[in-house]
Structures are given as C-alpha cells and as structure tokens.
Amino acid sequence: MKIYVLRYGHRPGRDKRITTHVGLVARAFGAHGFILGDVIDEKVIGSIKKVMERWGGNLYIDAGVDSRKYVLEWKRRGGIVVHLTMYGLHIDDVIDEIRGLNKDILIVVGAEKVPPFFYEVADYNVAIGHQPHSEVAALAVFLDRFYMGKELHLSFPNAKLIIVPSPRGKKVKKIAEEEEGESTKD
Ligand SMILES: C[S@@+](CC[C@H](N)C(=O)[O-])C[C@H]1O[C@@H](n2cnc3c(N)ncnc32)[C@H](O)[C@@H]1O
C-alpha cells in the first residue's frame, strides 16, 4: 500500500513556498510520493530533495506530469483517489472506510481553484472541516488521521542528521561522522 500526493494548480510565480511545504509534509507525514502536476519547478523539487539529502527519506518525486492523465492511470491500476476539499465529506465520516480499503491512495490537493474533473473522478472528496484553510494543513491532518498519529514517530534510515530531542536549543546528531554536535541550521 502506498500513498502519493498530487499537487494540482501550482503557480511557479507565487506558490513555491507553499508547494514545497506540501512536499515536505508528504515526506514527514508518511507519504511515499510527491507529484507536481502539469508544471516543472526545479526550485520546489530542489528544496524537497535537499531536505531528503540531509534528513533522509525516499519520497518518490515527479513533476510536469499531466494531472488528469495521472489520476486516470492511478485508478486504472486499482488505486483510489482522495481529493481534499472543504466541500467534501467530513474526514471523520470516511477515514476509517478509506483506511480499511487497504489500497494505494493518490491524494489530490489544489492551489486556487480545482476544476470539476477532480471532484468527479475522485473516489472520495474529503473535507478537513468545512472551512477554507490550507493545502498544507489539509494534507497534514489527513495523513495524521490516516496513520492515527503513528507517522509522527517515523524515522528515516538514510538520514545524515537526526534530532536529539532537547528541552532547549538545538541538538543534532550527525550520522555519517558518528559524532554529536550542536547545529544552528533548520
Ligand atoms: C487555498 S485552498 C483553496 C480553497 C478554494 N476555495 C477551493 O476549495 O477551491 C487550496 C487547497 O487547500 C485544500 N483545502 C483548503 N481547505 C480545505 C478543507 N477545509 N478541507 C480539505 N482541503 C482543504 C484543498 O485541497 C484546496 O484545493
């Protein structure tokens, strides 16, 4: 069972930061793939890869794919499509059913306006509450509910850096050199 996130409607001029955050949440909250639909934005992809290089993870990344064709192909291969939208069914009413299907899931998140195609092709239109907020928040809450909180304990075997929880300051363990040290970087 794998979970991919398809970011639809990315506008390179204004969405770089938020789309990067969608990718980072996908990685950190247990998704297996991040797909940037219809556009290639090297800066976004580069930022996500840079985080993976240091903090680990094997998130599959692709960009510039035709979003509509991707969704249809995903379904043709037996996966389900979950479109996150405030207009959908409340997450509390569908999350157990979605988890219980035990199928590959493609999560679609939009930017400004998502065309009717995605509402119609989705197996589930899921609302993280019925108020407008953010694709980053919506994705995080969906994955958290899906994994029932376990994803926050994920560790990434290929990480070069691991955080040592600290009540104050930043403590980071460098795995490659097998030495501990303080870091001021994010
Ligand atoms: C800035 S919002 C756009 C909201 C816009 N009014 C719409 O739904 O067309 C960008 C994306 O965030 C996600 N989103 C925002 N609020 C949400 C909510 N309450 N539930 C689920 N997804 C949400 C959706 O994926 C949406 O496409």
Side-chain angles (χ1 to χ4, degrees):
M1 200 278 300
K2 66 182 181 206
I3 298 184
Y4 277 23
V5 175
L6 171 65
R7 165 55 152 172
Y8 175 81
H10 170 74
R11 298 155 295 184
R14 52 186 291 190
D15 290 335
K16 278 193 197 316
R17 195 169 150 81
I18 196 154
T19 298
T20 301
H21 286 187
V22 170
L24 294 182
V25 164
R27 168 193 168 273
F29 283 64
H32 308 94
F34 172 74
I35 311 296
L36 184 53
D38 310 298
V39 61
I40 294 171
D41 189 328
E42 297 293 355
K43 249 190 137 181
V44 169
I45 300 306
S47 299
I48 300 167
K49 284 187 174 165
K50 210 167 145 192
V51 168
M52 278 206 288
E53 222 168 83
R54 301 171 75 210
W55 299 98
N58 293 310
L59 190 72
Y60 172 80
I61 297 177
D62 202 356
V65 305
D66 182 314
S67 292
R68 288 174 172 79
K69 282 189 189 155
Y70 198 90
V71 164
L72 293 174
E73 181 60 15
W74 187 273
K75 289 188 69 156
R76 198 190 63 75
R77 291 178 182 214
I80 64 157
V81 173
V82 170
H83 170 222
L84 297 182
T85 166
M86 64 180 175
Y87 302 105
L89 301 179
H90 197 286
I91 185 163
D92 285 349
D93 296 330
V94 289
I95 194 67
D96 291 340
E97 184 177 315
I98 293 172
R99 197 188 300 109
L101 292 173
N102 209 20
K103 287 188 171 180
D104 292 344
I105 302 174
L106 181 66
I107 304 172
V108 181
V109 294
E112 189 88 313
K113 199 163 163 62
V114 176
F117 169 84
F118 293 97
Y119 290 81
E120 285 154 20
V121 81
D123 297 281
Y124 295 90
N125 288 290
V126 177
I128 311 300
H130 298 293
Q131 301 298 326
H133 45 78
S134 149
E135 45 274 53
V136 178
L139 178 61
V141 171
F142 179 86
L143 288 171
D144 187 64
R145 294 286 175 90
F146 182 86
Y147 287 122
M148 297 186 283
K150 291 190 179 70
E151 83 290 349
L152 296 184
H153 298 279
L154 273 178
S155 59
F156 296 98
N158 54 344
K160 289 183 185 152
L161 298 174
I162 289 179
I163 289 172
V164 180
S166 165
R168 212 158 285 108
K170 303 178 181 178
K171 196 166 186 201
V172 178
K173 186 173 181 180
K174 290 179 188 161
I175 297 302
E177 288 86 17
E178 276 304 322
E179 64 184 39
E180 286 188 38
E182 300 288 329
S183 169
T184 51
K185 291 190 176 155
D186 291 328

